[in-house]
Amino acid sequence: MTDFTVHTIETAGESKPLLEKSKKTYGFVPNLHAVMAESPALLEAYRTVAEIFDTKTELSHTERQIIAMTNNRLNGCTYCMAAHTTIMQGLKVPEDVIESLRDGTPIADPKLEALRVFAETVNVKRGWVEDSEIEALLEAGYTKQTVLDVIVGTAFKVLSNYTNHVAETPLDKPFAKNEWSAEAQPSS
């Protein structure tokens, strides 16, 4: 396996200002960001798409996390599953929603479940969704903007999930309590 450096602020070169922002935001530099620092373009793209997803969509914290976690699970990203579980706990996302997202099982709330199903469909079908699948999301109370915002969330997670696969990013201590393994999940 090719070893990727888990950079510090001091070793990050052009990525130093971005890692300083990460430290200010999280209180530490997440290993994902430290690995991404090898490519200033990747780290900037990731941070930019994350900010856009968080501030330019009309989705709630819970809805954005549904999109993120659905992609994390389908892409088998153990790092992001643990990290986003911790994030959701901090955001006070209901525990039953967190459990459903970690297990890939239906969410009890029908509107949130429609979003989970649509996010899953976009990922699995690589965006080649049927009109009926879009209509199901719209009928649940979402909009055409939501359809496209799911794509933003999917792109956001591709950046982190694929980086973690390539670099085998070590899990940060703050996320360790929420470690996740695809092999330990119920079969669907």
Side-chain angles (χ1 to χ4, degrees), residues 7-27:
H7 285 279
T8 64
I9 290 172
E10 294 74 29
T11 67
E14 289 180 49
S15 294
K16 181 179 179 175
L18 295 169
L19 288 189
E20 288 171 337
K21 286 181 183 177
S22 295
K23 185 171 184 176
K24 186 176 179 184
T25 301
Y26 299 100

Side-chain angles (χ1 to χ4, degrees), residues 126-144:
R126 305 295 186 249
W128 295 103
V129 296
E130 304 288 329
D131 283 341
S132 61
E133 293 161 330
I134 293 171
E135 288 303 318
L137 184 69
L138 299 176
E139 287 171 12
Y142 289 103
T143 66
K144 290 177 187 173

Side-chain angles (χ1 to χ4, degrees), residues 25-88:
T25 301
Y26 299 100
F28 68 100
V29 176
N31 287 337
L32 171 63
H33 298 201
V35 167
M36 286 180 163
E38 187 74 27
S39 168
L42 175 60
L43 182 55
E44 184 175 355
Y46 177 76
R47 290 184 56 86
T48 301
V49 174
E51 182 178 339
I52 290 167
F53 189 53
D54 284 347
T55 63
K56 305 275 183 183
T57 70
E58 295 179 358
L59 300 167
S60 70
H61 291 302
T62 298
E63 291 167 327
R64 290 192 308 274
Q65 290 302 317
I66 288 169
I67 296 164
M69 284 290 282
T70 299
N71 279 280
N72 293 337
R73 184 184 56 75
L74 291 170
N75 292 337
C77 187
T78 57
Y79 181 97
C80 287
M81 286 295 289
H84 280 268
T85 298
T86 304
I87 290 166
M88 288 188 300

